[in-house]
Amino acid sequence: YSTQDERAWARKKAQQWGKRNILWSLAGSSGHKVWPHLDAVIAGLMLTYQDVHVVLVGDEFCRVLEAGWENEPRVHRQCGKWSIRESMAFAEVADLIIGTETGLLNAAGMMDTPKIITLSHSSQENLTKHWVNTIALEQPEGVGCPKHPCHQLHGAEGHDPWEDCPQYADENIKAAQCQYHVDAQMMYDAIDQVLSRRLKQAA
C-alpha cells in the first residue's frame, strides 16, 4: 500500500505532466515479457491525443527500450529512475496502465485504474479472470506460438530464457511469438477504447 507521502508525490507528478497519463511497464523478468511494437503505438498516440503523456517505467535494463524518445516532451523516460514503489504509487493516479506479465501489472490487478496486459505464458483464466477493469490481449487463435499459453517460467535456474520459447523469425526483432502477434493495431484499439470511455466519463 502506498503511503500518504507517496500518494501526494504521485498526484503532483500526474498534474505536472498531463491531463491524461499512461503508465507503461516495459518488460518483465524474462525475454518473453517484452512487447515489441511499443514505438509504433506511442507514435500514434502522440499524433492522435494531444493531451496524453506516456510514462515509461522499468529497471535499468529497460532503458534500451526507451531509446528514441529523448526529444518528445510528452514521453517521460523513468526506467532505472523510479523505484517499484514509485511506479506502483503512480499507478493509482494514472489514467491507464499498460504492460506485459510483470510485477507492476499484478500489483495493479485490483486497482480501479484501467489496465491493458499482453499475455505471454499465462491465460485470462489463470491470471486476469478476476482483475478489475482489465483488457487482456493475446495472440489471435491459430496465429503465433503453438504452445500459448505455455504456463512455463522461462529462464529459471540459469537456463537460457529462449531455450523453450519460440521467437519471431526476424533477426532484427527479438521477441516471443506470443508477444509479436499481439500487434500494434490490437493495442491501439484497446487504448482508444479506454481513453474514449474515460473522456466521456469526464464530460
Side-chain angles (χ1 to χ4, degrees):
Y1 296 96
S2 58
T3 66
Q4 186 173 345
D5 287 345
E6 288 169 334
R7 289 193 294 274
W9 168 86
R11 285 194 297 270
K12 184 177 180 181
K13 280 291 183 187
Q15 291 166 1
Q16 170 189 338
W17 279 339
K19 183 178 179 182
R20 294 193 286 179
N21 293 290
I22 296 174
L23 180 66
W24 203 315
S25 177
L26 297 191
S29 56
S30 192
H32 65 289
K33 296 184 181 183
V34 176
W35 187 71
H37 309 294
L38 174 75
D39 290 340
V41 173
I42 292 180
L45 291 172
M46 295 297 102
L47 291 172
T48 306
Y49 294 97
Q50 299 304 311
D51 63 340
V52 165
H53 287 233
V54 178
V55 184
L56 307 176
V57 295
D59 61 19
E60 290 278 351
F61 295 106
C62 290
R63 286 188 172 184
V64 67
L65 301 174
E66 298 177 319
W69 294 104
E70 293 81 0
N71 298 318
E72 173 51 66
R74 290 191 289 135
V75 176
H76 306 279
R77 299 172 300 114
Q78 301 305 310
C79 291
K81 298 176 183 177
W82 282 6
S83 68
I84 184 62
R85 288 193 65 88
E86 287 172 323
S87 295
M88 288 167 64
F90 196 84
E92 296 179 14
V93 300
D95 295 278
L96 172 61
I97 305 166
I98 303 175
T100 55
E101 296 185 40
T102 67
L104 178 61
L105 270 292
N106 279 281
M110 299 310 293
M111 291 182 185
D112 289 333
T113 309
K115 292 163 286 292
I116 301 171
I117 184 170
T118 59
L119 296 177
S120 51
H121 61 272
S122 299
S123 66
Q124 294 186 46
E125 177 68 23
N126 67 9
L127 184 64
T128 60
K129 181 178 181 179
H130 300 292
W131 285 16
V132 175
N133 209 1
T134 302
I135 298 173
L137 299 179
E138 55 190 321
Q139 65 179 37
E141 188 173 350
V143 175
C145 179
K147 298 167 55 178
H148 174 76
C150 65
H151 306 120
Q152 289 179 259
L153 296 177
H154 300 286
E157 298 181 352
H159 289 273
D160 182 341
W162 300 108
E163 182 178 321
D164 198 26
C165 181
Q167 287 180 254
Y168 180 69
D170 187 320
E171 62 182 18
N172 297 314
I173 300 175
K174 189 165 186 175
Q177 285 188 22
C178 61
Q179 292 298 283
Y180 181 84
H181 289 284
V182 176
D183 63 30
Q185 191 63 54
M186 290 171 67
M187 177 64 76
Y188 194 86
D189 289 346
I191 294 172
D192 190 58
Q193 177 183 330
V194 172
L195 294 182
S196 297
R197 183 177 73 234
R198 288 180 77 78
L199 192 60
K200 290 178 183 176
Q201 290 171 345

